[in-house]
C-alpha cells in the first residue's frame, strides 16, 4: 500500500526496544547527515523555509498578514505575543472593529514573532539546559476565520509537509482529542478529525489524547476547541507511537491545528456560529528537520551567532560550540552559548518593537533576560564586560531581511543593551558579595553545630528564600542565577521561602492596585472582559455603540439604555448584567449611541451626566461597547430613554492639551532630528506613549540623553509660534492606505488603526493632502497624525504652551510634561517671580558681611526651595539653578571664604591662649578644659588647630572639650590624654544626647558629634561640666 507523498508503507514500522540498537542507528544517521550537510543546508536555509511556507498558503487563497509586534500594546492581558493567534484574538471573540482591514480577513498566513518569557507561558528557566527550548521563536501559521475547517486544514498541512517540504510520511504521527470528562466534560471525542487523518495515516499513527494535550482554550472563558498535533520522528524506521507526547527530543511536535468551534462561558460550552482554524508550526523545529540536525540550535538560525560569540571572545580563549548537555564536561559552556544566543534574539526583537528593560511587567522580564545573558557570558564564556550588545550586528545580518524593524532599530537596541549591561555590571560584585556573606554564615553555623554535636548532619544546607528574593528584587540577580551559585557552593535555595516573600510583595502591590481601581469606580470593579462583550453580542443582542457624536461640541444627544452592568459576578446569570438599578448605585451603562469620548489613544475620558438620572465620572470602551461609569441618581432600567450631556467646559481644557501634544511631537522631530526624513530611523525620537487630561499633557518619546536648555527653548518656541500663527486644525476620515501614503505622517508604533482612519492635520489643508497636491517638503512643515481624539479647531485657542518637566523614565525613553492656556500663563508669571528673587539675592550677596552672612545663607535656602517647587518652564528651571549656583560659587563663596579666614585667625588666637593656659598645669595632674571657640564644624580645620596648638600640651595629662557653632548647628570636639579617667567618646556622646542627639562617633582618645539644633548649645556645655564632676582625680576648667 502507498501513502500520499510517494512513500511505501513497508519502509519499516518495527519498534526498536534495545538501547544499543537505538544508539547504533543514531550514529549511522548522524554519519549520513554529516556527509549530506553541505547539500542539505543549501537546499533548505532558514530564509527559504519561511518564504516557502508563506507562498504555499498564499497559493491556497490566504492573505499574507505580517507578524504583529512581540509587544502587544493593545492587549494588557499579555506580557508578550506568545502565539500566532494573539493578534487575531478580536476576530475569534467577535470584537474586531468592523472598519479595520483585519475585519475583512477570511484566510491569513505568516511567520509570527513570539516570546515566551514571564507570564503563563514561560520557558526562560529551561533555556540552555536542553537543545530545544527558546524564549524567542517564530511560529509559522495559517488561519481560517469562519471559512474552511478541518478537512482543508489537515489536507493542506499534509500536502505542505510531505510534498512541499518533502518530509517522510512514515515518520509522521497525528494526535486528536479523544475525550476527557474531567477536563472537558460534555465534549465528545473528535472522531471527525480522526477519520480525516485516516485518509493519510494508518490508525497506529493516529493517536487519541486528553484535554491536556489536545483541547485548546484561550482562558477560563471564551473561544476554544479540540486540536490535532503533528509529530515527527527524527530517527525513523521504527514504531515511535509510544514516544509521542513523552518529551522525547527525537519525537517532536512540529505543527498544531486548533479547531475553534466552541465558546465557554459560566454555563458551560456552546457551539460557535462561526468556526475558525488556528494553526502554529515551530519554525526552528521545522528547520532542524529539513537541515537534518538533531537540535534547533544546530541550524543556520543559531550557528552564525555561535561563531560570532567565539570570534568576539577569541578562539584561543573559548572553544567552539559542541551541542552538549549535562553531564558532559562541555555542557556548561554550551549551555551558556545557547542562553546568550537565545536571549539576544529576545531582547533585540522586544526593544525593536518598543519594549525596554524596566522595574515592572514586561520591562522587568527583559531586564531579567539581559542579566541572565550577561551572567552566563561572563561566568562560563569568560566574556569581557559590555559584551552582549556586540552580538546585535550579527543578529541583524541574519534576520534583518525577514524583519526589517531590526535594521531600523539596530542603534537603539545596541544603546539600550550597553546601558543596561553597564548598570548590571555595577551590581554584580555587590550581589556576589552579599551571596558569599550569607553562604559563609550558613557554613559557619553548620560548623558550630557540628563541633557541639557528635552527630554529623546529612541534611541539605538551605539558602534563605528571603535572601534569594532580596538578591532578585534589590540586587538584580534572577532566582535561577542564585540557584546556580548555590549549586556551586553545595547549597539549595529555599524555594518555598522565596515564593512566600514574592507572594507577600505581590499581595501588597495587588491590594494597592485593587484599592486604586475600586476607589475610581466607587468601590465596584466595573471592568469588562471577553465574557461580558461576548454576552452583550450573543445573549443580549446589543449592537456596538454608535460614537460619531463624540466629535460634536455643545449639543445634547438623546439615547437609550441597552444594558446595565454591575461588575463581573453580579446579576442573575453571573455575567454582571441586570435589567434595573435603584438610585445611588455605581454602575456602567451601555447606550445605543453616545456623545461621550471614551478613554483611548492617551486621552482622558469625558465626564458629565445623563440629564437628571446618572452622573458620569468615567467612560471606557470594550470591543466597541462604550461603558458610561458613574452613579445613578434615580431608578433606571434597560430601554430607558436618556439624554447625554457632556461637560464641554472640561473637554475644552483637554482639547488644547491633545492638539499641542501633536505639535510637540512635530517640534521634537524638528529640533532633535532636523525635521522629517523618510530615511530617518523610526525608533529615534519616536512616540512611546502619551497621557492627556484637563490639567496637563504628558508625552513619552525615544531619546538616549536629557534635552539641553537650548533644545527645550527651541521646542517650546516652535509650539508657541504655531499658536501665534493661529493655524487651522482639520480632522477627517480617509482610507487607511491613502492615509499611510501621506508624506511626514506620524503614527504610534504598535497601534492598530481602523479603516477608514481619522487624520488630524495642524496647519495643512487635508483636502490637498488627500488629493496628493501637497509635496513632501511642504507637508514636513506641519503636524500630521492618525488620531481619534477630540481637538481644537485653531491652535490660537491653546493660548500658550510651556514645558514644565523633561526627565528619563527608562533606558532610551524621555518624558515631557507640559501645560497650555491659563496654566501655561501662570507658569510664565511664576518664572518672572523666580528671576526677581534671584536678582535680589545676587544684589545682597555682593554686599555680604559677617553680620549679614546668616541672612544671605537663609535667602539662598529659600530661593533653592522656590526653584525646586515652583511650577515654571523646565528651561527656566535649568537657568535658575545655573544662576543660583553662580551666585553661591561667586560672591557668597568669596564672602564665606573671607569671613572664614577671619574666624580661623581669631580661633587660632583663642586656641593659642587655651594651649598656654593648659601648659601651666602641673604635669602630674589630670585636667579637663571645657570651652567654646567658634571656628565652624569642619573636622579637618579642628585637626589642624588641634595639631598646631593643643597636641603639644595633651601629653601633660590635659584633656579638652571644645564646642564650635555656626548659624544653625554646632559641633562637639573631645580629646582625652588620660583615657583611663576620661573617655572622649562617652563625653562627647553624653553632651550630644543632652542637646537632643547628634551624628558622630570616635574613640576613647578622640571623638566628635554634630548637633543640628543650635538652641541646645547651652545644654551641651552644662552636660559636659556635669559629666566631669562625676570623674575622680580630674580638675575641671570651664572657660567662658
Amino acid at each position: 500500500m502507498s501513502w500520499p507523498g510517494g512513500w511505501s508503507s513497508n519502509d519499516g514500522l518495527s519498534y526498536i526496544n534495545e538501547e544499543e540498537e537505538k544508539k547504533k542507528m543514531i550514529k549511522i544517521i548522524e554519519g549520513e547527515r554529516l556527509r549530506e550537510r553541505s547539500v542539505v543546508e543549501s537546499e533548505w536555509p532558514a530564509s527559504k523555509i519561511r518564504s516557502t511556507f508563506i507562498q504555499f498558503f498564499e497559493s491556497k487563497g490566504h492573505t499574507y498578514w505580517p507578524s504583529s509586534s512581540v509587544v502587544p500594546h493593545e492587549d494588557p492581558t499579555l506580557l508578550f505575543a506568545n502565539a500566532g493567534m494573539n493578534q487575531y484574538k478580536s476576530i475569534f471573540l467577535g470584537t474586531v472593529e468592523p472598519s479595520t482591514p483585519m475585519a475583512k480577513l477570511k484566510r491569513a498566513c505568516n511567520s509570527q514573532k513570539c516570546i515566551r518569557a514571564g507570564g503563563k507561558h514561560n520557558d526562560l528557566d529551561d533555556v540552555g539546559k536542553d537543545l530545544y527550548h527558546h524564549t524567542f521563536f517564530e511560529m509559522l501559521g495559517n488561519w481560517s476565520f469562519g471559512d474552511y475547517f478541518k478537512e482543508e486544514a489537515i489536507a493542506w498541512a499534509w500536502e505542505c509537509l510531505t510534498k512541499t517540504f518533502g518530509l517522510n510520511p512514515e515518520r509522521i504521527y497525528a494526535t486528536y482529542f479523544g475525550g476527557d470528562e474531567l477536563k472537558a466534560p460534555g465534549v465528545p471525542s473528535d472522531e471527525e478529525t480522526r477519520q480525516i487523518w485516516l485518509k493519510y495515516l494508518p490508525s497506529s499513527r493516529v493517536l487519541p489524547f486528553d484535554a491536556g494535550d489536545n483541547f485548546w482554550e484561550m482562558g477560563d472563558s471564551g473561544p476554544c476547541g479540540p486540536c490535532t498535533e503533528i509529530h515527527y520522528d527524527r530517527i525513523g524506521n521504527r514504531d515511535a507511537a509510544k514516544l509521542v507526547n513523552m518529551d522525547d527530543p527525537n519525537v517532536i511536535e512540529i505543527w498544531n491545528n486548533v479547531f475553534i468551534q466552541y465558546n465557554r462561558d459560566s454555563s458551560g460550552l456552546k457551539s460557535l456560529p462561526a468556526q475558525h482554524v488556528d494553526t502554529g508550526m515551530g519554525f526552528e523545529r521545522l528547520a532542524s528537520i529539513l537541515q537534518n540536525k538533531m537540535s534547533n540550535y544546530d541550524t543556520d538560525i543559531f550557528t552564525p551567532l555561535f561563531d560570532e560569540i567565539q570570534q568576539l571572545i577569541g578562539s584561543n580563549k573559548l572553544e567552539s560550540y559542541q551541542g552538549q548537555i549535562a553531564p558532559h564536561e562541555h555542557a556548561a559552556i554550551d549551555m551558556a552559548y545557547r542562553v546568550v544566543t537565545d536571549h539576544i534574539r529576545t531582547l533585540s526583537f522586544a526593544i525593536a518593537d518598543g519594549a525596554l528593560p524596566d522595574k515592572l511587567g514586561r520591562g522587568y522580564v527583559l531586564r531579567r533576560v539581559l542579566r541572565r545573558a550577561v551572567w552566563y557570558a561572563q561566568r562560563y564564556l569568560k566574556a569581557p564586560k559590555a559584551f552582549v550588545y556586540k552580538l546585535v550586528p550579527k543578529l541583524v545580518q541574519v534576520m534583518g531581511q525577514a524583519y526589517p524593524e531590526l535594521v531600523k532599530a539596530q542603534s537603539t537596541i545596541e544603546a539600550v543593551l550597553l546601558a543596561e549591561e553597564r548598570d548590571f555590571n555595577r551590581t554584580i560584585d555587590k550581589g556576589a558579595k552579599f551571596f558569599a556573606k550569607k553562604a559563609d554564615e550558613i557554613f559557619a553555623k553548620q560548623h558550630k553545630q557540628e563541633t557541639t554535636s557528635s552527630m554529623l548532619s546529612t541534611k541539605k544546607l538551605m539558602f534563605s528564600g528571603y535572601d534569594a528574593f532580596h538578591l532578585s528584587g534589590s540586587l538584580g540577580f534572577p532566582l535561577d542565577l542564585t540557584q546556580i551559585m548555590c549549586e556551586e557552593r553545595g547549597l539549595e535555595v529555599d524555594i518555598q521561602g522565596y515564593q512566600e516573600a514574592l507572594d507577600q510583595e505581590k499581595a501588597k502591590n495587588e491590594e494597592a492596585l485593587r484599592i486604586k481601581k475600586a476607589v475610581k469606580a466607587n468601590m465596584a470593579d466595573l471592568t469588562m472582559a471577553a465574557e461580558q462583550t461576548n454576552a452583550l453580542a450573543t445573549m443580549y443582542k446589543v449592537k456596538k455603540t454608535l460614537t460619531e457624536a463624540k466629535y460634536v461640541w455643545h449639543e445634547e444627544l438623546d439615547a437609550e439604555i441597552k444594558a446595565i452592568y454591575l461588575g463581573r459576578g453580579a446579576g442573575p446569570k453571573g455575567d454582571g448584567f441586570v435589567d434595573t438599578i435603584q438610585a445611588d448605585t455605581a454602575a456602567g451603562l451601555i447606550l445605543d449611541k453616545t456623545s461621550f469620548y471614551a478613554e483611548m489613544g492617551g486621552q482622558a475620558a469625558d465626564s458629565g451626566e445623563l440629564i437628571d438620572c446618572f452622573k458620569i465620572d468615567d467612560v471606557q470602551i470594550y470591543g466597541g461597547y462604550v461603558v458610561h461609569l458613574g452613579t445613578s441618581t434615580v431608578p433606571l432600567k434597560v430601554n430607558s430613554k436618556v439624554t447625554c450631556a457632556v461637560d464641554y467646559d472640561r473637554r475644552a481644557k483637554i482639547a488644547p492639551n491633545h492638539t499641542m501634544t501633536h505639535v510637540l511631537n512635530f517640534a521634537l522631530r524638528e529640533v532633535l532630528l532636523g525635521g522629517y526624513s523618510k530615511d530617518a530611523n523610526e525608533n529615534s525620537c519616536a512616540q512611546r506613549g502619551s497621557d492627556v487630561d484637563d490639567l496637563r499633557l504628558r508625552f513619552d518619546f525615544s531619546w538616549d540623553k536629557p534635552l539641553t536648555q537650548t533644545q527645550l527653548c527651541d521646542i517650546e518656541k516652535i509650539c508657541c509660534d504655531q499658536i501665534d500663527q493661529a493655524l487651522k486644525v482639520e480632522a477627517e476620515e480617509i482610507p487607511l492606505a491613502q492615509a499611510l501614503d501621506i508624506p511626514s505622517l506620524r503614527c504610534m508604533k504598535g497601534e492598530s488603526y481602523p479603516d477608514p482612519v481619522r487624520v488630524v492635520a495642524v496647519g495643512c489643508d487635508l483636502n490637498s493632502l488627500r488629493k496628493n497636491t501637497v509635496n513632501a517638503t511642504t507637508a514636513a512643515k506641519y503636524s500630521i497624525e492618525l488620531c481619534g481624539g477630540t481637538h481644537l479647531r485653531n491652535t490660537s485657542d491653546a493660548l500658550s504652551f510651556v514645558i514644565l518637566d523633561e526627565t528619563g523614565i527608562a533606558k532610551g525613553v524621555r518624558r515631557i510634561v507640559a501645560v497650555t492656556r491659563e496654566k501655561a500663563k501662570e507658569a510664565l508669571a511664576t518664572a518672572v517671580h523666580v528671576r526677581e528673587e534671584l536678582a535680589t539675592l545676587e544684589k545682597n550677596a555682593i554686599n555680604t558681611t559677617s553680620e549679614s552672612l546668616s541672612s544671605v545663607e537663609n535667602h539662598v535656602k529659600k530661593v533653592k526651595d522656590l526653584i525646586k517647587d515652583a511650577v515654571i518652564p523646565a528651561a527656566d528651571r535649568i537657568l535658575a539653578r545655573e544662576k543660583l549656583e553662580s551666585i553661591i560659587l561667586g560672591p557668597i563663596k568669596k564672602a564665606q571664604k573671607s569671613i572664614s579666614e577671619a574666624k580661623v585667625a581669631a580661633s587660632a588666637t583663642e586656641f593659642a591662649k587655651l594651649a598656654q593656659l593648659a601648659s601651666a598645669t602641673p604635669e602630674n595632674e589630670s585636667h579637663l578644659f571645657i570651652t567654646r571657640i567658634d571656628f565652624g564644624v569642619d573636622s579637618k580645620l579642628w585637626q589642624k588647630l588641634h595639631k598646631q596648638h593643643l597636641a603639644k600640651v595633651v601629653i601633660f595629662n590635659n584633656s579638652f572639650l571644645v564646642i564650635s557653632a555656626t548659624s544653625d548647628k554646632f559641633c562637639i570636639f573631645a580629646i582625652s590624654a588620660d583615657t583611663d579617667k576620661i573617655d572622649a567618646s562617652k563625653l562627647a556622646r553624653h553632651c550630644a544626647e543632652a542637646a537632643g542627639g547628634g551624628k558622630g562617633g570616635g574613640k576613647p582618645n578622640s571623638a566628635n558629634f554634630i548637633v543640628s539644633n543650635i538652641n541646645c548649645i547651652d545644654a551641651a556645655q552644662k552636660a559636659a561640666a556635669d559629666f566631669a564632676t562625676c570623674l575622680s582625680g580630674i580638675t575641671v576648667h570651664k572657660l567662658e
Side-chain angles (χ1 to χ4, degrees), residues 884-909:
L884 179 62
E885 188 69 14
S886 70
I887 294 172
I888 292 172
L889 295 177
I892 293 179
K893 186 172 183 180
K894 182 179 179 181
Q896 288 173 330
K897 183 178 179 182
S898 176
I899 293 167
S900 176
E901 288 173 349
K903 276 192 174 183
V904 169
S907 299
T909 302

Side-chain angles (χ1 to χ4, degrees), residues 56-188:
F56 173 84
F57 278 99
E58 284 181 327
S59 72
K60 304 298 183 184
H62 289 65
T63 299
Y64 171 69
W65 195 263
S67 169
S68 69
S69 161
V70 291
V71 181
H73 298 280
E74 294 184 323
D75 190 345
T77 66
L78 291 173
L79 284 174
F80 299 100
N82 56 28
M85 59 74 58
N86 289 153
Q87 67 171 323
Y88 307 112
K89 188 187 290 187
S90 60
I91 300 180
F92 296 140
L93 292 172
T95 60
V96 63
E97 181 62 41
S99 63
T100 60
M102 183 177 282
K104 300 175 179 64
L105 280 179
K106 288 298 181 182
R107 302 179 181 184
C109 64
N110 72 9
S111 181
Q112 171 66 44
K113 303 174 293 185
C114 299
I115 291 178
R116 290 186 178 175
K120 181 179 178 181
H121 300 285
N122 181 16
D123 291 336
L124 180 58
D125 294 335
D126 294 319
V127 168
K129 297 176 182 177
D130 55 38
L131 300 175
Y132 52 88
H133 274 100
H134 312 289
T135 56
F136 174 85
F137 60 95
E138 293 180 68
M139 186 73 80
L140 301 172
N142 59 288
W143 291 269
S144 166
F145 308 112
D147 190 10
Y148 64 82
F149 204 45
K150 297 179 183 179
E151 186 76 49
E152 296 90 338
I154 293 173
W156 289 337
W158 180 261
E159 180 184 349
C160 182
L161 289 176
T162 62
K163 293 185 178 179
T164 301
F165 288 121
L167 298 191
N168 185 345
E170 297 300 332
R171 297 188 185 187
I172 292 176
Y173 296 78
T175 68
Y176 67 96
F177 177 62
D180 189 334
E181 283 302 314
L182 181 63
K183 298 176 184 176
V187 182

Side-chain angles (χ1 to χ4, degrees), residues 526-731:
L526 296 174
T527 58
M528 283 189 178
E531 179 186 2
Q532 284 70 44
T533 56
N534 186 58
L536 284 169
T538 59
M539 191 178 301
Y540 301 105
K541 308 300 180 184
V542 176
K543 294 181 179 179
K544 294 176 181 180
T545 313
L546 299 175
T547 61
E548 290 81 0
K550 67 187 176 186
Y551 297 122
V552 177
W553 287 63
H554 305 297
E555 288 186 16
E556 296 175 354
L557 178 72
D558 293 332
E560 184 178 308
I561 299 174
K562 290 300 182 181
I564 300 174
Y565 182 59
L566 294 183
R568 281 180 270 183
K573 298 178 181 178
D575 55 14
F577 296 104
V578 296
D579 292 330
T580 62
I581 54 172
Q582 298 302 310
D584 299 320
T585 302
L589 303 186
I590 294 95
L591 311 179
D592 61 337
K593 54 183 175 292
T594 185
S595 54
F596 284 84
Y597 182 86
E599 179 183 345
M600 70 179 90
Q603 179 177 323
D606 281 335
S607 57
E609 65 173 333
L610 302 180
I611 295 177
D612 296 333
C613 65
F614 194 82
K615 184 179 182 299
I616 296 174
D617 301 313
D618 191 17
V619 186
Q620 298 291 324
I621 186 167
Y622 300 96
Y625 295 102
V626 176
V627 186
H628 304 75
L629 303 168
T631 308
S632 59
T633 56
V634 298
L636 290 172
K637 62 182 179 180
V638 173
N639 297 326
S640 293
K641 305 293 184 182
V642 293
T643 301
C644 299
V646 174
D647 182 351
Y648 288 110
D649 289 339
R650 178 172 173 272
R651 186 192 278 187
K653 297 176 181 177
I654 297 174
N657 288 341
H658 198 159
T659 300
M660 292 310 297
T661 300
H662 287 214
V663 178
L664 171 62
N665 193 0
F666 167 80
L668 282 164
R669 184 175 62 190
E670 290 293 299
V671 173
L672 302 182
L673 300 181
Y676 168 77
S677 169
K678 65 178 181 179
D679 299 321
N681 181 355
E682 67 177 22
N683 288 280
S684 183
C685 197
Q687 180 176 346
R688 292 301 190 195
S690 65
D691 187 63
V692 175
D693 59 23
D694 54 322
L695 299 176
R696 54 93 181 106
L697 64 94
R698 193 186 75 200
F699 187 80
D700 301 338
F701 61 101
S702 57
W703 197 249
D704 56 5
K705 51 184 172 292
L707 302 190
T708 66
Q709 186 269 340
T710 301
Q711 288 172 329
L712 288 170
C713 286
D714 291 344
I715 293 165
E716 218 169 55
K717 184 178 185 304
I718 290 173
C719 293
C720 291
D721 284 348
Q722 295 213 357
I723 293 173
D724 294 340
Q725 292 169 24
L727 300 176
K728 185 186 294 186
V729 181
E730 296 186 10

Side-chain angles (χ1 to χ4, degrees), residues 35 123 137 156 307 312 372 378 388 441 449 460 602 638 669 693 706 733 771 806 894 907 1001 1039:
R35 287 192 295 273
D123 291 336
F137 60 95
W156 289 337
D307 294 341
L312 288 172
R372 202 170 184 266
Q378 294 183 13
V388 173
E441 289 175 357
Q449 290 174 345
K460 188 81 172 180
V638 173
R669 184 175 62 190
D693 59 23
E733 281 194 350
K771 293 179 179 179
E806 189 277 329
K894 182 179 179 181
S907 299
L1039 308 178

Side-chain angles (χ1 to χ4, degrees), residues 963-976:
I963 296 177
S964 174
T966 63
S967 60
D968 60 346
K969 55 181 173 278
F970 65 93
C971 192
I972 303 164
F973 298 97
I975 300 173
S976 173

Side-chain angles (χ1 to χ4, degrees), residues 474-522:
S474 300
L475 299 176
F477 273 73
L479 176 62
D480 55 334
L481 298 191
T482 302
Q483 289 176 308
I484 291 169
M485 293 189 291
C486 282
E487 289 174 7
E488 292 174 350
R489 294 288 301 268
L491 301 171
E492 183 179 334
V493 176
D494 175 14
I495 298 297
Q496 183 177 347
Y498 175 87
Q499 193 61 46
E500 287 174 0
L502 181 63
D503 290 345
Q504 289 174 11
E505 185 69 18
K506 281 184 178 178
K508 187 165 63 176
N509 294 336
E510 288 172 359
E511 178 64 12
L513 183 61
R514 187 194 68 78
I515 292 173
K516 182 179 178 181
K517 284 185 175 180
V519 167
K520 187 175 181 180
N522 287 329

Side-chain angles (χ1 to χ4, degrees), residues 760-773:
V760 177
V762 180
C764 192
D765 181 56
L766 263 179
N767 188 46
S768 300
L769 282 173
R770 193 175 62 253
K771 293 179 179 179
N772 291 324
T773 58

